[in-house]
Amino acid sequence: MALLRRAVRSGPGLSTSSSIIPPAILISCRALSTKLFVGGLSFYTTDKGLQEAFSQYGQVVEAQVVSDRVSDRSKGFGFVTFASQDEAHKAVEEMNGKALNGRVIFVDYAKPKSDYGGGMPIARGPPNLKNDS
């Protein structure tokens, strides 16, 4: 966040080539982008291939194919982040139901990540028995 403040203070002379602000900071601080969920991907689709396929609809900030941690193989879905909502909307309309690397993909807006609690459940002991007498 401090890096972002320094970049903003440096004024209009800041060029994109000299900017070292990671896209994640811009996304979280300014809400400049829209994230799309892409399902039905081929197991051979890479991050670069996904970015190239969607870049014709606008500026792709990030493209990520989700992989299994153990086998390092694609799980068949990924996420594409666009710089604007208009570009993302256009990509949803154009790419949903189209073929990519031999598979028909479906594209929709990504839902916010929710915390499912994860980890090990805490053992609380045996249940309390109620006496009805």
Side-chain angles (χ1 to χ4, degrees):
M1 194 68 174
L3 178 65
L4 182 62
R5 281 191 207 112
R6 275 185 271 155
V8 171
R9 280 189 209 134
S10 66
L14 183 67
S15 68
T16 55
S17 61
S18 66
S19 175
I20 310 175
I21 301 172
I25 291 176
L26 293 174
I27 293 167
S28 63
C29 295
R30 296 186 183 176
L32 290 177
S33 64
T34 302
K35 192 175 232 183
L36 301 179
F37 171 81
V38 183
L41 292 174
S42 166
F43 294 122
Y44 303 107
T45 303
T46 62
D47 294 349
K48 186 176 180 181
L50 190 62
Q51 181 174 1
E52 289 173 359
F54 280 84
S55 64
Q56 60 186 338
Y57 301 105
Q59 181 185 359
V60 175
V61 176
E62 179 184 29
Q64 177 186 17
V65 175
V66 178
S67 300
D68 187 317
R69 290 181 186 171
V70 177
S71 65
D72 200 35
R73 183 177 170 192
S74 168
K75 287 189 173 184
F77 68 93
F79 297 94
V80 177
T81 306
F82 279 92
S84 74
Q85 286 188 342
D86 293 335
E87 294 169 343
H89 183 70
K90 184 177 177 184
V92 169
E93 288 180 345
E94 297 291 327
M95 289 296 287
N96 192 22
K98 296 274 175 103
L100 179 65
N101 293 339
R103 300 272 313 257
V104 175
I105 62 171
F106 60 93
V107 182
D108 199 5
Y109 294 100
K111 295 178 176 76
K113 191 174 185 179
S114 59
D115 184 24
Y116 294 108
M120 297 288 289
I122 298 173
R124 305 248 185 234
N128 293 334
L129 298 175
K130 295 184 179 179
N131 292 334
D132 291 337
S133 29

